[in-house]
Amino acid sequence: MSVLAAERIKLTSTRSPLWCTAMTAVFALGIATLFGLLINVSVNEYNKQLASGHQMTAPYPDNGIAALGITGASQGIPGFGYIMIMILAALAITSEYRFGTIKATFMAVPNRTTVLLTKAGMIAVSAAVLSAVLTFLSFFILKAIVSTQGGQKLSLTDGDLHIFYAVPIFVALVVFLAVGVGALIRQSAGALTLLIIWPVLIEPIVGAFGKVGRNIQVLLPFQNAGRFLGTASGEDTLPWHWGPWGGLLYFLVFVAIVFGAAVFVVNKRDA
């Protein structure tokens, strides 16, 4: 319990978690508001095109759009929300190495595995709850802004509820990933650069290298997470070897390997 209390104090008494939490909320709710307005514009254009005899695909989004500010989308929209959460989680461990407080932490709690698990677990639960709340708030913002015609697929009774539990699961996993990467690299700049560039730049670029790139893309961790969330690029064109739940399992194994490596290295080397 003392470890839990100590990590809670660290999480709530420093500025970076508060700023990252605030930015996550701003991105999630702001993007929901923006896309709500854009959907109305698209619906108006759709009606004009129909009236003039042109056929278009109906621009009626489903519940998945409620998580757009957190998860991003394959059409070039980064997942600002989960990136901010990864930054928060990585800084929680790299800042301790930077300021030397990790030595006092390990002296107070010699079991370093417990420290890492407690730190990652507390942030994961907090971030998962935050992401769930923001997803529901974004949904209600969309319902309030989008016209009745454009929001006909937005429903908690008849719509697909997958996104509302998929987002917290994904967010909890990226927290463990970020803490693991932070513990391995120990430097904030290096850890944050890797955590941001990998899903935003490296993985999308791989798919541009023809058939070979597409075959590699389906084996990349964040692409498999996107497969579970429904945000992966090329949902119907990539040669996937498994479905959404297989994508989650793949990402879970990847996170477990990284976090396990972090636990091993932290227990072996000096603080």
Side-chain angles (χ1 to χ4, degrees), residues 1-24:
M1 291 300 294
S2 59
V3 183
L4 194 62
E7 293 302 328
R8 178 184 57 79
I9 293 171
K10 293 175 188 176
L11 185 63
T12 56
S13 62
T14 54
R15 291 182 179 181
S16 58
L18 298 177
W19 276 107
C20 289
T21 299
M23 293 300 292
T24 301

Side-chain angles (χ1 to χ4, degrees), residues 39 49 76 108 129 187 256:
I39 290 166
Q49 293 294 328
V129 172
Q187 294 182 342

Side-chain angles (χ1 to χ4, degrees), residues 171-188:
V171 165
L173 289 177
V174 298
V175 167
F176 276 89
L177 176 64
V179 171
V181 170
L184 287 169
I185 297 179
R186 299 203 292 184
Q187 294 182 342
S188 298

Side-chain angles (χ1 to χ4, degrees), residues 67 70-71 82 85 123-136 161-176 228-229 248 251:
I70 299 175
T71 64
Y82 85 81
I85 289 171
I123 300 173
V125 171
S126 302
V129 172
L130 173 66
S131 66
V133 170
L134 291 176
T135 303
F136 275 104
L161 302 181
H162 172 80
I163 197 67
F164 295 106
Y165 61 81
V167 169
I169 293 173
F170 167 68
V171 165
L173 289 177
V174 298
V175 167
F176 276 89
F228 171 63
L229 292 167
L248 173 63
F251 188 65

Side-chain angles (χ1 to χ4, degrees), residues 123-168:
I123 300 173
V125 171
S126 302
V129 172
L130 173 66
S131 66
V133 170
L134 291 176
T135 303
F136 275 104
L137 288 177
S138 297
F139 171 83
F140 290 119
I141 288 174
L142 287 163
K143 287 292 288 184
I145 294 176
V146 177
S147 64
T148 303
Q149 179 186 355
Q152 59 186 265
K153 292 184 179 180
L154 296 173
S155 174
L156 294 178
T157 55
D158 300 324
D160 186 2
L161 302 181
H162 172 80
I163 197 67
F164 295 106
Y165 61 81
V167 169

